[in-house]
Amino acid sequence: MDLATVIGLVLSLGLVAAAIVTGGSPVVFISVPSLLIVVGGTIGATMVNYPLDKILGTVGVLKKTFFSSLESPADIIEKFMDYANRARREGILSLEPVIKQLDDFYLRKGLQLTVDGLEPQTIQEILETEIAYLEARHEVGAEISATLGMFAPAMGMIGTVIGLVQMLQTMDDPSSIGPAMAVALITTFYGAVLANLVFNPMAGKLKTRSKEEVLLKEMVMQGILSISKGENPRIIEEKLSSFLPPRDRKQEVG
Amino acid sequence: MDLATVIGLVLSLGLVAAAIVTGGSPVVFISVPSLLIVVGGTIGATMVNYPLDKILGTVGVLKKTFFSSLESPADIIEKFMDYANRARREGILSLEPVIKQLDDFYLRKGLQLTVDGLEPQTIQEILETEIAYLEARHEVGAEISATLGMFAPAMGMIGTVIGLVQMLQTMDDPSSIGPAMAVALITTFYGAVLANLVFNPMAGKLKTRSKEEVLLKEMVMQGILSISKGENPRIIEEKLSSFLPPRDRKQEVG
Amino acid sequence: MDLATVIGLVLSLGLVAAAIVTGGSPVVFISVPSLLIVVGGTIGATMVNYPLDKILGTVGVLKKTFFSSLESPADIIEKFMDYANRARREGILSLEPVIKQLDDFYLRKGLQLTVDGLEPQTIQEILETEIAYLEARHEVGAEISATLGMFAPAMGMIGTVIGLVQMLQTMDDPSSIGPAMAVALITTFYGAVLANLVFNPMAGKLKTRSKEEVLLKEMVMQGILSISKGENPRIIEEKLSSFLPPRDRKQEVG
Amino acid sequence: MDLATVIGLVLSLGLVAAAIVTGGSPVVFISVPSLLIVVGGTIGATMVNYPLDKILGTVGVLKKTFFSSLESPADIIEKFMDYANRARREGILSLEPVIKQLDDFYLRKGLQLTVDGLEPQTIQEILETEIAYLEARHEVGAEISATLGMFAPAMGMIGTVIGLVQMLQTMDDPSSIGPAMAVALITTFYGAVLANLVFNPMAGKLKTRSKEEVLLKEMVMQGILSISKGENPRIIEEKLSSFLPPRDRKQEVG
Amino acid sequence: MDLATVIGLVLSLGLVAAAIVTGGSPVVFISVPSLLIVVGGTIGATMVNYPLDKILGTVGVLKKTFFSSLESPADIIEKFMDYANRARREGILSLEPVIKQLDDFYLRKGLQLTVDGLEPQTIQEILETEIAYLEARHEVGAEISATLGMFAPAMGMIGTVIGLVQMLQTMDDPSSIGPAMAVALITTFYGAVLANLVFNPMAGKLKTRSKEEVLLKEMVMQGILSISKGENPRIIEEKLSSFLPPRDRKQEVG
């Protein structure tokens, strides 16, 4: 559970709601037709922009990145120290039974290729392709969210222009101008809130999560390649701990 | 047929139409001169921006990417497993008759070069050039669509400024100000709708389609190079399946 | 002669003119002082932005890219097939008399270096430097045009702010407000038209033309290097035709 | 202590305050609800955008980059001249006792790897990974500050739209329009000041500081690699002094 | 002396001044408090954005790039033909006395390293580091100028919002609204003029000058490396003249 997302949404949307309620007569801010044109138009434009399977896939990516707990880098280092020591003592084939029990698809594939005795160069090519396309799939989620955040204010603006044109045509009664403009501005309000408090920040989080996951995959790849080259466990530790901020590292003995 | 494009266009344009009709007096929103200046001006500026053959070529790219059905990556993997096994068992020349029956220009060229015994390095150079210029040709389509999406709101703004200047000159009758401004805003409305509901989302889809096609071509290139290097079918499968999301892969045996 | 440019300019500027004339009283849209501040200010800012020789050089690049007819890629392939066959049959020195008759500076230089027996690696370095700096020189033209397109609306806005400030100071007579604002908006109008119908689209065309020319130079370089390496004419054809869209290629025999 | 930051903030915020006070009745510019919606909404959106630990980590990065004094490049050169001479005269192992006294984590790690006799290639890989992830961690600080600077004006705009809608609904009393609009504009004012005088400039400084620190780390890496390759102290000096502007270099003897 | 800069500034600022004066009552455009908040606030935000030494260093870069006359590329080619011939005839050591008389720091360092007999690879590394950090130092100047150009309109907008809020609070006397808004707009005017006529164009020129200087340094590096590798003077000429536009080259004999 990503608490920051929940707290952030509650905080920003709550403050907007409070500003509306304390200003009196919040009824004007609730308009189903305005919501329909902004949300529906935004979704429509996004459907033209992306293939259906990508849009549906985003729901999965969204859920996964908001709930899944990534492994800690320190655990990865420890795991690889263990593999490396075992491979050194008992030979690379002793990793076979370990592989069978692994959940992580990527790690399992990499170690299996190592045990099968492929060249480190070939393993690196395969694992880098995996990372590149994992990244591409995650980026689509962030891009779709950013696209929603780009079309939402545009739809809000289109809704407001429609409202203004309708109002300007019938300016007979000056007292009706104010309320009509208020109504016209509601789509602008919806578009701005959806873009700035929901879609754009979520696109940002998807991007950050993707970077974190790619970082872990790169650590795992580095570890697998080191084992495949039969490198010294101490060097493996040095290499992998370079990925971490100094304060998260095991006390390194100088 | 790309259903998402159709549904998306119907949804967003339908909601805009509904907002116009339910607001009463939709007549003001239909203005041939306003449409002429926005659409004509946008096309004019785009013709200055791109050579005529590129603009005309975009129509072809558009049709192709909206209707053509790309081969599934799983089929490509299967096909290459078949080629690789055949080449292993019966020699590379046994692929000759297969090549004759291929529709896909790119695959045919790559396999022919392999059968002709060119160096993998040379084949890779040729196929990468093919991909680079295929990508460049597709990008032009997306760029032209994005350029239309950039000039449309600019033309809308120019139309509105013209309308405002004409209105401001003759402000004798206050009651005419409203309707005149309503008319002036129509070009802004057209520009925003064309850009945000049509041109920009279509540019986005062209870009996505191009990426998908390039991905398939890269898989095919990887497969051809593997065959040309005489690689093990199992490694070819590992390499090609790295391009796919895990859920689309054949159950890999660990 | 680039017809698209001419048609595009006539179309978009014509529609703008039509919108002005049909709206009655087009006189207000013609204002020499407004034109002076927008055009003069834009040129002034661009002169601060770029050295004088680059600005003057742009005129040449502009003329060249709008009128010069580029060689067709198919002709280039044919030419290189001819050179390659000749070099194979009669030796590389047999190209000497051909070189003397060439107009294209780039092709002549590349072939001369080949006949002189320089290493392919050295030839590639020299020809790539040529392309890189040709591209840089052409980009300056596109950049200057884009810079004009960036400063024009800014000058239009500055002109409008000046007009507004002058109008607001003397708001004694309400009936003069409208016409005064109309005048103030003229610079915004000029800036928007110049940027969106002239400068920005021309920057776009310069960029496209430059890409086309670079593509041809890269084909020529590829051909020269192939001859210098003594490659098979058939491979040369395969390599060069990779630069073309499939429909422009000679029927390739599979 | 970074004086420029303090002087810059005092100067710009002081001038804004002076403009408010000299205009009379500064009370309207102080509005706790407006401040709450802008600051709270901005923080909320940023919490959705970044994981909590990154946001909290930014505080540390901020403090560190504003107060920590970076080593002077000249000192680094001198230090490495000393290490190189010592390694030449007394052997690489003579650096062991030096390493024990070093505070700088990065330099210590690099020298230790050198003394341990790792290949320069391996040392370079490890140190480059260190720099890459140090840079990534610092960039997050700058990015979060820039994100705050992006959401602050958006929240200001949302607050103003809310205020405008509330005002337009109850336009019965024309004399209340002015003050109500003044209040509505306060959130725009807060958003613009926070973004342009605080968040964006701070993001800029974080980026500059990060570049400086990366430059120093690259100098240190260059020095460590030179020692590890046993290069001549004179060449080490030439290499390291290339990082400095000419005026900061020791008089080089030609 | 860069005439384009002077003419450009006189032209654009002169036209703005003319527009102000011909509009009558130019007094309102001169407002010391408005100038103070725009200029002071812009400088303040820039001081938060960049370290003090970088800001002060920009003054030097500015002066240098506006006045210093760069060597002509043709002179550089001639010089290197001379060095190459001398090195061929009398040995590389014969360049010693030449080096002593050189003013250009970069050329002197490169030739000295060559005479000292360093490997071309090492010389290239050192000279490339020099160019990279020269470029970085120059870019800072252009970036700071662009940053001033980004904050100036923001400060103008903040000043205008302050003025609007103050005006809206006291709308008792309708006749005072116009002049008050005129005053509020002055900061917008100052911000737009400073950004578009001064800071942004100067940032552009700094960038162009830096590119030119880097181009010359790359030519010099190419020449030094060629001498260090003992390359043929004819090839050196071919290589160096690739950097020039064809019309600036010595008549090349085909």
Side-chain angles (χ1 to χ4, degrees), chain E residues 131-172:
Chain E
I131 292 180
Y133 290 99
L134 174 91
E135 215 176 342
R137 284 192 302 273
H138 280 210
E139 261 171 23
V140 166
E143 273 174 29
I144 288 179
S145 197
T147 302
L148 288 164
M150 187 184 75
F151 286 131
M155 282 314 300
M157 193 268 254
I158 288 173
T160 296
V161 171
I162 293 175
L164 283 179
V165 170
Q166 288 170 341
M167 177 199 87
L168 287 164
Q169 267 185 292
T170 54
M171 251 174 41
D172 306 329

Side-chain angles (χ1 to χ4, degrees), chain A residues 36-37 40-41 44-45 47-51 54 105 109 112 116 125-126 130 133 137 151 154-155 162 165-166 168-169, chain B residues 4 8 11 15 19-20 23 28 178-179 189 196-197 201 204-205 212 215 218 234 238-239 242-243 245-246 249 254:
Chain A
L36 260 178
I37 194 172
M47 281 175 78
V48 178
N49 206 325
Y50 287 98
K54 297 258 152 110
F105 173 80
K109 177 164 189 177
Q112 185 63 49
D116 291 357
E125 268 176 39
I126 293 176
E130 289 274 359
Y133 290 99
R137 285 192 302 274
F151 286 131
M155 282 313 300
I162 293 175
V165 170
Q166 290 171 339
L168 287 164
Q169 267 184 291
Chain B
L11 178 63
L15 283 165
I20 288 172
V28 72
F189 170 71
N196 291 297
L197 302 189
K205 180 147 293 173
E212 285 176 350
L215 173 61
E218 280 171 353
R234 162 114 200 285
E238 291 285 8
K239 280 191 172 173
S242 308
F243 288 82
R249 298 182 192 178

Side-chain angles (χ1 to χ4, degrees), chain D residues 4-175:
Chain D
T5 307
V6 179
I7 298 174
L9 281 172
V10 168
L11 178 62
S12 61
L13 293 176
L15 282 165
V16 168
I20 288 172
V21 172
T22 57
S25 60
V27 176
V28 73
F29 286 95
I30 298 161
S31 158
V32 175
S34 298
L35 197 65
L36 259 179
I37 193 172
V38 173
V39 172
T42 302
I43 291 176
T46 305
M47 281 175 77
V48 178
N49 205 326
Y50 287 98
L52 208 54
D53 60 325
K54 298 256 152 112
I55 296 180
L56 296 176
T58 301
V59 181
V61 170
L62 251 151
K63 225 173 9 187
K64 193 180 151 204
T65 47
F66 276 83
F67 286 96
S68 85
S69 54
L70 295 170
E71 212 173 350
S72 99
D75 287 358
I76 291 177
I77 294 179
E78 205 162 313
K79 211 189 282 178
F80 271 100
M81 298 300 293
D82 176 40
Y83 297 160
N85 282 317
R86 195 187 289 235
R88 288 222 132 191
R89 280 196 319 271
E90 310 170 32
I92 191 88
L93 289 178
S94 68
L95 293 176
E96 278 270 30
V98 176
I99 297 172
K100 299 233 180 296
Q101 290 155 22
L102 289 171
D103 286 331
D104 178 7
F105 173 80
Y106 183 79
L107 174 57
R108 205 173 64 221
K109 176 165 188 175
L111 283 180
Q112 184 64 47
L113 295 172
T114 307
V115 169
D116 291 356
L118 267 72
E119 292 294 306
Q121 184 59 31
T122 311
I123 297 177
Q124 185 166 2
E125 269 177 39
I126 293 177
L127 294 184
E128 279 177 349
T129 311
E130 289 273 358
I131 292 180
Y133 290 99
L134 174 91
E135 215 174 342
R137 285 192 301 274
H138 280 210
E139 260 171 24
V140 167
E143 273 175 28
I144 288 179
S145 196
T147 302
L148 289 164
M150 187 183 75
F151 286 131
M155 283 314 299
M157 193 268 255
I158 288 173
T160 296
V161 171
I162 293 176
L164 282 180
V165 169
Q166 288 170 339
M167 177 198 86
L168 287 165
Q169 267 185 292
T170 54
M171 253 174 42
D172 306 330
D173 176 12
S175 76

Side-chain angles (χ1 to χ4, degrees), chain C residues 36-90:
Chain C
L36 260 179
I37 193 171
V38 174
V39 173
T42 301
I43 291 176
T46 304
M47 282 176 77
V48 178
N49 205 326
Y50 287 98
L52 209 54
D53 60 325
K54 299 256 151 111
I55 296 179
L56 297 177
T58 301
V59 181
V61 169
L62 251 151
K63 226 175 4 188
K64 192 179 151 206
T65 47
F66 277 83
F67 287 96
S68 85
S69 55
L70 295 171
E71 213 173 349
S72 98
D75 288 358
I76 291 178
I77 294 180
E78 206 162 312
K79 210 187 286 177
F80 271 101
M81 297 301 292
D82 177 40
Y83 297 161
N85 281 317
R86 193 187 289 237
R88 288 222 134 192
R89 280 196 320 270
E90 310 170 33

Side-chain angles (χ1 to χ4, degrees), chain B residues 61 64 105-106 127-140 209-210 212-218, chain C residues 242-246 249:
Chain B
V61 170
K64 193 181 149 204
F105 173 80
Y106 185 79
L127 295 184
E128 278 178 350
T129 311
E130 288 275 358
I131 293 181
Y133 289 99
L134 173 92
E135 213 176 344
R137 285 193 302 274
H138 280 210
E139 260 171 24
V140 166
R209 291 275 156 165
S210 169
E212 285 176 350
E213 196 165 349
V214 165
L215 173 61
L216 289 184
K217 296 283 189 239
E218 280 171 353
Chain C
S242 309
F243 288 82
L244 303 185
R249 297 182 194 178

